[in-house]
Amino acid sequence: MGKDVIIACDFASKEEVFAFLDKFKEEKPYVKIGMELFYGAGPDIVREIKKRGHKIFLDLKLHDIPNTVKKAMHVLSSLDVDMCNLHAGGTIPMMEAAIEGLTREDGTRPLLIAVTQLTSTDQEHMENDLLIHEPIDKVVMHYASNAKKAGLDGVVCSPLEAGKVHDTCGSDFITVTPGVRFADGDVGDQKRVTTPERAKEIGSDYIVVGRPITAADDPVAAYRRCVKEFVS
Ligand code: C5P
């Protein structure tokens, strides 16, 4: 499994994202496009970034009835993204339908990973809002196992959970982990963070890094530092 650093391009407009990507003259980083940019700029943003030679993780977190998710995934697959995601809470039939929709006629498809419980959901929300009474760690691992059963490639999780996900679902099951900060950097609004180096030790396959790169004085240097700590 090749490890990689994915830059969260949380920009509001096409102009901002291109001004950012233009700074990279020598490398073509893997980028994450989220809802804000996708809904604002439209699917063309994916085509244009692809054309520039970047790999794309399209972070739209689908969650609907199986047939709707299947058809939406078919569209994302034809957009030629490299990785996309959905909510495991949509159940195994929804995840199976997603795989069906994503798979192209030649049998290839983008990687598909699941969100288990959002990190903004805590035990209290689960108990009171969702009526889920099991401990959150157990729920996260159960949803990860469901994703594996449905044929998905991995999950989004905290770097701190990556080892446990691999123990539960196997070393080939991909862990994509946000919440990464440099040892000497600002934590910002992230609660449980690790350094790229530590994420590597715990076993993350991909780290998703936003502000430590996008808001750095020298984003290219910050990206290279992440790659050096996490990949090399
Ligand atoms: O700027 P920062 O490095 O905190 O960005 C992390 C990225 O990962 C953001 O796009 C954020 O929405 C996303 N993310 C996260 N935590 C999750 C899931 C996604 O930080 N549990």
Side-chain angles (χ1 to χ4, degrees):
M1 172 75 50
K3 288 187 183 290
D4 211 345
V5 174
I6 302 178
I7 305 180
C9 284
D10 293 323
F11 298 104
S13 71
K14 186 171 151 169
E15 290 70 28
E16 281 173 88
V17 73
F18 287 151
F20 172 74
L21 293 177
D22 282 345
K23 297 182 201 289
F24 292 84
K25 309 281 182 218
E26 286 169 32
E27 51 270 278
K28 295 281 181 196
Y30 207 132
V31 302
K32 177 171 92 70
I33 299 176
M35 293 186 208
E36 184 186 11
L37 187 59
F38 188 78
Y39 294 147
D44 271 348
I45 191 74
V46 172
R47 296 189 187 97
E48 288 180 43
I49 296 178
K50 257 321 270 203
K51 216 183 288 167
R52 285 169 168 239
H54 298 271
K55 283 190 162 182
I56 296 179
F57 167 23
L58 188 57
D59 180 17
L60 298 182
K61 302 186 179 71
L62 276 67
H63 189 168
D64 209 314
I65 59 170
N67 188 52
T68 302
V69 169
K70 178 178 160 181
K71 289 181 171 173
M73 285 295 181
H74 181 67
V75 175
L76 300 189
S77 183
S78 67
L79 266 182
D80 202 21
V81 300
D82 297 280
M83 187 190 296
C84 53
N85 62 359
L86 47 62
H87 276 283
T91 75
I92 292 176
M94 187 200 81
M95 292 192 269
E96 287 172 343
I99 296 268
E100 227 184 297
L102 262 192
T103 306
R104 305 182 184 104
E105 274 186 16
D106 63 3
T108 64
R109 64 167 174 80
L111 291 173
L112 181 61
I113 58 169
V115 175
T116 54
Q117 282 291 346
L118 291 169
T119 44
S120 52
T121 305
D122 60 17
Q123 190 74 41
E124 204 181 316
H125 294 127
M126 288 209 322
E127 302 268 353
N128 299 334
D129 299 0
L130 307 177
L131 292 182
I132 299 174
H133 303 299
E134 299 286 349
I136 192 159
D137 296 359
K138 189 173 167 195
V139 175
V140 166
M141 290 309 147
H142 182 64
Y143 283 22
S145 306
N146 286 351
K148 167 126 181 151
K149 266 187 217 154
L152 269 69
D153 303 294
V155 287
V156 185
C157 62
S158 153
L160 301 163
E161 293 163 353
K164 200 163 171 208
V165 169
H166 283 138
D167 291 345
T168 309
C169 299
S171 57
D172 289 348
F173 197 64
I174 298 170
T175 51
V176 179
T177 67
V180 174
R181 291 293 180 266
F182 292 122
D184 52 1
D186 250 359
V187 171
D189 54 1
Q190 292 281 14
K191 301 267 185 274
R192 297 159 69 225
V193 299
T194 48
T195 61
E197 211 169 8
R198 183 78 189 117
K200 178 183 178 180
E201 284 165 16
I202 306 174
S204 293
D205 297 296
Y206 294 86
I207 49 172
V208 176
V209 188
R211 287 158 294 177
I213 296 174
T214 56
D217 291 336
D218 184 344
V220 177
Y223 170 73
R224 287 183 182 154
R225 182 177 170 191
C226 271
V227 172
K228 188 162 176 240
E229 287 189 22
F230 182 68
V231 184
S232 345

